[in-house]
Amino acid sequence: DVQLVESGGNSVQAGGSLRLSCAVSGDTISRLYMARFRQAPGQEREGVAAIDRTGSTTYSYSAQARFTISKDNAENTLYLEMNNLQPEDTAMYYCAADLYNMQLARHYSNWGQGTQVTVS
């Protein structure tokens, strides 16, 4: 089984930056399709960014130009760099992984525990 351990969430002021990490165990990140999702209270979970096996990326409209998803194959870790954060970015952020290409669909088989991002 794939395990995903997330870190990096925090409280920041508007305009600030954060980098979220997702450490992968149980498989090699180079074999996985991965993504970051977020869920605000009372709202559906939404896809933010995805990265495939080759490193090709996909972003939601709200994330493009501000967020960057990347992975370090040697560290077996996924990263999400978030810049110019705004209050509407406040949410629990989740890491997801699958052996199939889900892009920003919510059908991933493996999920992290989530890390909270609060922007004020």
Side-chain angles (χ1 to χ4, degrees), residues 27-66:
D27 208 328
T28 304
I29 198 171
S30 60
R31 286 182 5 103
L32 299 170
Y33 296 89
M34 301 200 66
R36 297 302 302 225
F37 289 75
R38 67 185 182 186
Q39 188 168 19
Q43 297 187 20
E44 291 189 349
R45 190 170 296 189
E46 65 167 339
V48 173
I51 187 167
D52 71 11
R53 293 174 175 175
T54 69
S56 179
T57 56
T58 302
Y59 294 94
S60 67
Y61 179 79
S62 62
Q64 61 187 5
R66 297 188 301 129

Side-chain angles (χ1 to χ4, degrees), residues 51-102:
I51 187 167
D52 71 11
R53 293 174 175 175
T54 69
S56 179
T57 56
T58 302
Y59 294 94
S60 67
Y61 179 79
S62 62
Q64 61 187 5
R66 297 188 301 129
F67 294 4
T68 302
I69 190 169
S70 63
K71 60 180 179 175
D72 186 323
N73 288 346
E75 296 293 328
N76 227 34
T77 300
L78 178 76
Y79 298 103
L80 183 68
E81 186 78 33
M82 304 186 294
N83 297 312
N84 191 23
L85 285 161
Q86 299 301 315
E88 52 267 31
D89 295 315
T90 295
M92 184 71 78
Y93 283 71
Y94 296 91
C95 176
D98 205 286
L99 290 173
Y100 299 97
N101 190 0
M102 300 291 181

